Amino acid sequence: MRDASIFASSLIPILAMLTACETLPRAETAAMQPAPDSNVTLSGTVFYRERIALPADARLAVRTSDVSLMDVAAPVIAEIEIATEGRQVPLAFSLNYNAARIDPRGRYAVSARITEGGGRLIWTTDTHVDLPPPGQLIELAVARVPSEPLGRQPRQSV
């Protein structure tokens, strides 16, 4: 009998702790989830600090990717490519994506690339930038990509 009363007295605090850990009610959880197939617009600018003009035929690409898993290619959530048509930085963009594809437990990144008309990469984001909450503007800093691979010198004619 004594063992049963010790068991019951130790079970009561455990049950009290478990009820304190109750999850959110369904209505509150549903309010935090985006509506199925709801489109969200990510707006912002891409810039760099150097005083270098972009080629007139440059193209800007902005992408949102799911980077939750390591060692696999990051699935693209949304991407937009814009002809700069001679415009210079900062370059404004608006990228639409389906909010239902965003898992609150996941990790998402936004990246930008600027290429010459021939497709050669000249500027790119070189750090991780988190996908901001809907409605928040973002600024993406891009870094210059060297025209020659590092450590390789152009050949000199003799």
Side-chain angles (χ1 to χ4, degrees), residues 1-76:
M1 181 73 173
R2 185 168 187 258
D3 290 336
S5 65
I6 292 174
F7 177 74
S9 64
S10 63
L11 188 60
I12 291 172
I14 292 172
L15 290 175
M17 287 187 332
L18 288 176
T19 56
C21 296
E22 180 182 355
T23 59
L24 293 173
R26 284 188 185 268
E28 288 181 36
T29 306
M32 293 182 347
Q33 297 294 324
D37 298 326
S38 64
N39 281 329
V40 175
T41 301
L42 171 65
S43 297
T45 55
V46 175
F47 73 96
Y48 53 83
R49 297 192 189 284
E50 291 87 340
R51 294 180 57 112
I52 300 172
L54 286 173
D57 62 352
R59 299 189 65 77
L60 167 66
V62 178
R63 170 186 292 184
T64 301
S65 305
D66 180 349
V67 294
S68 301
L69 299 176
M70 294 173 39
D71 300 327
V72 296
V76 175

Side-chain angles (χ1 to χ4, degrees), residues 76-137:
V76 175
I77 302 297
E79 184 173 28
I80 188 169
E81 190 169 319
I82 305 164
T84 61
E85 299 174 337
R87 291 184 311 246
Q88 300 299 315
V89 294
L91 298 168
F93 68 88
S94 289
L95 174 64
N96 294 320
Y97 65 93
N98 184 345
R101 294 191 63 193
I102 305 299
D103 182 343
R105 299 166 298 180
R107 186 165 185 227
Y108 300 90
V110 182
S111 60
R113 306 166 46 99
I114 300 175
T115 56
E116 291 181 334
R120 186 177 74 82
L121 180 64
I122 53 177
W123 298 91
T124 187
T125 48
D126 61 352
T127 58
H128 175 86
V129 179
D130 285 323
L131 176 66
Q136 183 177 327
L137 296 175

